[in-house]
Amino acid sequence: MNYGMIRYILGRILIVEAILLCLPVAVGLIYREPWFNIQAILLTIFILLAVGIPLSWKRPRKTAFFAREGYSIVALTWFLMSFFGSLPFVFGGTIPFPVDAFFETASGFSTTGASILTNVEALPHSIMFWRSFTHLIGGMGVLIFALAILPQVGADSVHLMKAESPGPSFGKIMSKVSQTARVLYIIYLSMTAVLIILLVLGGMPFFDSLLHAFGAAGTGGFSIKNSSVGFYDNSYIEVVLGVAMILFGVNFNVYFLLMMRQFKTAFKNEELRWYFGIIAVAIGLICLNVSSFYDNFAAMLKDVFFTVSSIITTTGFTTRDFDRWPLTSHVILLFLMFCGAMAGSTGGGIKVSRIAIYLKTSLQEVRHMISPNRILPIKFEGKVIDRDLLRGISFFFMTYMFFFSFCVLIVSIDAPNFVTALSAVAATLNNIGPGLDMVGPAGNYAQLSNLSKFTLSIAMIAGRLEIFPVLVLLTPRTWRRM
């Protein structure tokens, strides 16, 4: 274990977080907030620099590190970023309880959007900005951002990107990790800027547009209104955000191919076809199921489209309380919660590519039973899936189900009913935000115990990192000197 390199990278990351916190300070000054609010953020910046500078003061002689260091650095980064990022809430008194503040910040960085706040509109602008800005930072990945601006981390940074990037990988963009990180962030921030402009053109105030664009880009779902996007009651805004959420749920490799004018290769992407196919089928089935609840077809289609877009991309914005829809719609939405968006996107969940491969594997087994002597390889993206990738995908599912069941067991200790416990874990582990019943669109997570909140906080970070980095971090063997 290269402890020196772990220390050095973590120190640099904390300095980056301190720099990022300067933006909410500027927001507080622009809106002339009381000095107490700004002081809370400045104190956090001071603490981050006091910890980060000594850790990264001297670059270690031995810079090489491997997979276990990569996984450990990624997991530690997300926990430390969430811990220090929660301090402005605690110091400023907006969320005085540390467990609640950690829950809110972990929800922000992991782009979950689950909240314990009952009156979001009462927050000062600086805290509102920081709360939503965590979505933008965490959407593409904290360490991918660091690699884009800190290429001197080292050649072994591929282990960091591999540990933080969601979903199985079926290709790469550039030969160098730092170049890939920069390209990803250029695409990511450009799309975010376009979304901000479109929301402003639709009549949404600039500050609101900025923060809702952060939520859609990171597929996080923090809104600055108590009734989320439904507050604006604007069809244009709902459609723009609905389309934006779907686009941010697409693998960013597709956008790179489009940028390189490789249109044929981009649109031949098999996972992309599965993704849009699942969305279309879900919208159709839910529309049939809720048709008796609506007198206007256009209004029904808009509400269903927005909800499906929000759930499958694990964003969590809401316009209507889908907890009031029939049970069949709940089941479909629950499937979308687990399914998630495409690999290599800012969305959470199991990922469409894995769902497709699981289905293909099941069909192959049925065919093999019918014709035992036939060799039937499983193909995805036009390539035969090798045994290592298939084994990794199967192992992920088993680990995912074990971790999910364990979290449900813990939360069920004090949850009011099974639906709340199950949907709370599904909504946090898959980085969605709102669940069903007590934690549905009309509720929040404030009434859960500290044990449940802490468990769900870990679930949010584990879900964003796809579990393994957190398990590696918690394994004693990881920290033994080899």
Side-chain angles (χ1 to χ4, degrees), residues 46-59:
F46 174 79
I47 293 173
L48 281 164
L49 293 176
V51 177
I53 291 175
L55 287 176
S56 60
W57 185 259
K58 185 178 180 181
R59 184 183 174 92

Side-chain angles (χ1 to χ4, degrees), residues 323-377:
D323 200 29
R324 297 182 179 180
W325 287 356
L327 179 60
T328 302
S329 295
H330 291 173
V331 173
I332 296 170
L333 292 176
L334 197 62
F335 166 74
L336 296 180
M337 287 182 184
F338 285 99
C339 176
M342 292 176 66
S345 70
T346 60
I350 293 174
K351 302 296 180 297
V352 171
S353 55
R354 289 196 181 100
I355 297 294
I357 292 171
Y358 293 146
L359 291 174
K360 286 191 173 190
T361 304
S362 299
L363 289 173
Q364 189 228 40
E365 288 300 318
V366 173
R367 291 170 182 167
H368 184 70
M369 290 177 185
I370 297 171
S371 305
N373 296 324
R374 289 184 63 189
I375 299 175
L376 301 166

